[in-house]
């Protein structure tokens, strides 16, 4: 019978313990590394999911970027008015109305009696019901011939008559045709080739794409003084809006900048987005009023005071409420504060007041600050690495309180930057219909002509009429009172 193995020595047991400790330590380090990596990946996945779910409802993306995917149920920030959808009871609604003096009248008489069948030829009318048809006649160009006669003086010298300023060649397009080209290009967003086809189909005018570009170039030159007037108006405006959007020009990223009020619009194309572009365009450096913008840092140096867009921050707050990783209560509270303050300001304006009651204003400010601080506490930051978007938002709300609350204390400042967003929205339509611009010159022409069209519309002027006047040598200019 074999004897049992001898027990391990003390040295062997000590070595085994050290080996086990090293193994446990290595495993603990591996577990800690995997845990940290898992947390990092979970954060990354959550961020990617947030980016995928971002749309016009919870971010600054335009509605045109939402695509055809099925959207989630909207989370409207409006409160119920108690009214049912559709036309209100008793409201006649809108419809095509008859005119008192039609251009042509066609009489229709019954041929036979519906009762006995006797013929009614020659029987006089005992009344009628009128129905009117609104139709477009075939549109053809009206050609006017200018005959420049020559006269022989008694001295033997022959003098020829001088042609009008708009008749510069043996055959030219008049102001109405040129106005239609600019209108279809800068307002209806048709590219040059389709525009030429439309002019041929609608008016029977065989226009080349070269003619289209030539007309747009002339309009750009003729509107130089108008653009200077718009810039002067904007630099002196007490409140103005600014925004920007990326566009493709000659295959490269450029930026369409807009600065506007409810009376004027300026568009400028530049290769840069930030302060270099804003300085080069020449309006913001001289601006001394209140600038309403989004939170882009480049705008912070312009104007004597700032106001940040409430609509932008509401969309950001909605995105926070949809993120279940952390408590979103603070964002819901902040939304309520901003909306209630906006409503209170609107009610005060409707009542003829120019300020909120001191207690009301203090209440909004206290609730606002409490919500921002709660947002910071709900999203801790270790001090290293990037901050979570929710924390960055809460810190911005805290640090730029005065700019987010400007509308509460100055009723001339709107709650949002919607004026600039509405004026900028057309660029998305332009990109969808016509795509990018092939040259910087073409983009600059579009921007100036569109500035003219947008401004005249704000003054209630028909853009086609204003363009016709432009080519007739009398461009519409801003009234002195504005």
């Amino acid at each position: 019978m074999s004897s049992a193995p001898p027990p391990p020595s003390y040295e062997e047991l000590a070595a085994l313990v050290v080996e086990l400790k090293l193994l446990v330590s290595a495993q603990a380090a591996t577990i800690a590394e995997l845990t940290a990596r898992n947390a990092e990946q979970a954060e990354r996945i959550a961020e990617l999911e947030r980016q995928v779910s971002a749309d016009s409802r919870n971010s600054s993306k335009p509605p045109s970027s939402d695509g055809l995917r099925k959207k989630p149920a909207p989370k409207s920030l409006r409160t119920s008015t108690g009214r049912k959808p559709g036309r209100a009871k008793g409201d006649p609604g809108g419809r095509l109305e008859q005119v008192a003096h039609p251009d042509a009248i066609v009489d229709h008489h019954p041929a036979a009696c519906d009762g006995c069948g006797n013929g009614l030829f020659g029987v006089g009318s005992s009344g009628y019901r009128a129905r009117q048809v609104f139709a477009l006649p075939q549109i053809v160009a009206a050609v006017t011939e200018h005959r420049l006669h020559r006269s022989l003086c008694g001295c033997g010298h022959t003098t020829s008559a001088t042609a009008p300023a708009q008749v510069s060649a043996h055959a030219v397009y008049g102001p109405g045709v040129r106005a239609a080209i600019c209108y279809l290009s800068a307002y209806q967003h048709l590219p040059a080739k389709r525009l030429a086809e439309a002019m041929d189909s609608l008016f029977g005018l065989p226009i080349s794409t070269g003619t289209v570009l030539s007309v747009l170039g002339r309009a750009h030159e003729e509107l130089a003084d108008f653009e200077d007037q718009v810039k002067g108006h904007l630099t002196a405006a007490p409140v103005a809006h600014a925004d920007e959007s990326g566009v493709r020009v000659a295959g490269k990223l450029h930026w369409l900048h807009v600065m506007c009020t409810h009376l004027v619009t300026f568009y400028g194309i530049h290769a840069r987005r930030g302060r270099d572009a804003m300085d080069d365009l020449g309006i913001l450096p001289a601006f001394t009023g209140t600038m309403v913008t989004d939170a882009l840092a480049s705008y912070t140096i312009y104007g004597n005071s700032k106001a940040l867009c409430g609509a932008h921050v509401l969309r950001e707050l909605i995105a926070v409420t949809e993120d279940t990783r952390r408590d979103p209560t603070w964002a819901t509270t902040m939304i309520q504060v901003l909306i209630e303050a906006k409503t209170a300001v609107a009610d005060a304006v409707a009542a003829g007041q120019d300020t909120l009651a001191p207690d009301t204003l203090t209440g909004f400010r206290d609730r606002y600050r409490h919500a921002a601080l709660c947002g910071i506490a709900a999203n801790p930051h270790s001090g290293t690495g990037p901050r979570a978007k929710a924390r960055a938002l809460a810190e911005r709300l805290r640090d730029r309180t005065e700019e987010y609350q400007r509308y509460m204390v100055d009723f001339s400042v709107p709650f949002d930057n919607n004026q600039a967003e509405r004026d900028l929205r057309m660029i998305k339509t332009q990109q969808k219909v016509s795509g990018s611009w092939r040259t910087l010159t073409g983009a600059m022409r579009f921007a100036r002509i569109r500035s003219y069209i947008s401004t005249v519309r704000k003054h209630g002027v028909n853009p086609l009429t204003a363009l016709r006047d432009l080519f007739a040598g009398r461009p519409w200019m801003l009234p002195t009172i504005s």
Side-chain angles (χ1 to χ4, degrees), residues 94-329:
R95 61 180 181 181
L96 183 62
E97 299 290 346
Q98 293 186 344
V99 298
H101 304 288
D103 298 300
I105 296 176
V106 179
D107 291 310
H108 301 271
H109 296 275
C113 176
D114 289 337
C116 65
N118 290 333
L120 297 176
F121 179 77
V123 178
S125 173
S126 59
Y128 66 86
R129 291 180 299 164
R131 295 183 178 183
Q132 296 183 349
V133 176
F134 289 72
L136 284 175
Q138 182 180 2
I139 303 174
V140 294
V143 180
T144 301
E145 182 174 283
H146 293 262
R147 297 180 176 179
L148 309 180
H149 291 275
R150 296 184 296 271
S151 297
L152 178 63
C153 180
C155 70
H157 181 76
T158 300
T159 303
S160 296
T162 302
Q166 306 300 325
V167 187
S168 56
H170 73 284
V172 297
Y173 291 114
V177 175
R178 297 178 182 182
I181 291 174
C182 282
Y183 176 83
L184 293 174
S185 175
Y187 190 62
Q188 300 300 341
H189 309 289
L190 291 185
K193 185 177 180 179
R194 285 179 55 196
L195 193 157
E197 293 174 356
M199 293 294 291
D200 190 13
S201 299
L202 291 172
F203 312 120
L205 291 172
I207 293 177
S208 67
T209 56
T211 298
V212 173
L213 300 180
S214 175
V215 170
L216 297 178
R218 179 174 175 182
H220 179 265
E221 295 175 0
E222 296 292 332
L223 288 173
D225 290 341
F226 168 81
E227 183 174 275
D228 291 339
Q229 189 183 22
V230 167
K231 288 183 175 181
H233 171 92
L234 286 170
T235 57
V239 178
H241 302 256
D243 204 350
E244 75 292 325
S245 181
V247 295
R248 303 295 296 183
V249 178
K252 297 181 180 179
L253 176 63
H254 283 63
W255 295 87
L256 179 79
H257 294 260
V258 62
M259 186 173 178
C260 58
T261 67
H262 67 289
L263 291 173
V264 301
T265 307
F266 168 81
Y267 297 108
I269 297 284
H270 201 280
R272 305 292 294 274
R273 183 186 189 188
R275 293 175 184 172
D276 289 344
M278 297 172 188
D279 290 343
D280 290 345
L281 294 175
I283 300 177
L284 291 179
F287 179 70
T288 57
T290 299
M291 176 64 62
V292 185
T293 67
D294 55 22
L296 183 66
S298 300
Y299 292 115
T300 56
I301 66 172
Y302 302 110
N304 288 344
S305 59
K306 317 290 185 303
L308 289 177
C309 176
H312 272 80
V313 79
L314 284 177
R315 291 194 290 265
E316 292 180 277
L317 290 166
I318 290 175
V320 173
T321 64
E322 296 174 346
D323 188 346
T324 58
R325 289 174 292 173
R326 293 183 177 86
D327 183 11
T329 304

Side-chain angles (χ1 to χ4, degrees), residues 416-430:
D416 51 47
N417 196 29
N418 285 355
Q419 180 66 67
E421 291 191 354
R422 285 193 296 269
D423 286 339
L424 200 57
R425 189 172 298 150
M426 60 84 208
I427 193 60
K428 298 304 176 185
T429 303
Q430 170 72 17

Side-chain angles (χ1 to χ4, degrees), residues 361-438:
L361 180 59
T362 300
F364 285 136
R365 284 177 163 173
D366 289 345
R367 291 169 58 196
Y368 175 103
R369 178 169 179 77
H370 182 263
L373 294 177
C374 287
I376 295 173
N379 297 273
H381 180 53
S382 62
T384 59
R387 298 170 297 170
K389 286 189 174 293
R391 183 181 178 90
L393 174 59
E395 290 182 354
R396 185 183 352 127
L397 287 163
R398 178 199 62 189
D399 298 339
R400 306 186 71 175
T401 297
E402 185 176 345
E403 295 161 75
Y404 277 117
Q405 294 182 1
R406 182 76 60 188
Y407 72 98
M408 299 185 195
V409 296
D410 185 354
F411 286 4
S412 67
V413 177
F415 170 78
D416 51 47
N417 196 29
N418 285 355
Q419 180 66 67
E421 291 191 354
R422 285 193 296 269
D423 286 339
L424 200 57
R425 189 172 298 150
M426 60 84 208
I427 193 60
K428 298 304 176 185
T429 303
Q430 170 72 17
Q431 290 174 304
K432 284 183 173 294
V433 176
S434 296
S436 60
W437 288 280
R438 294 183 179 180

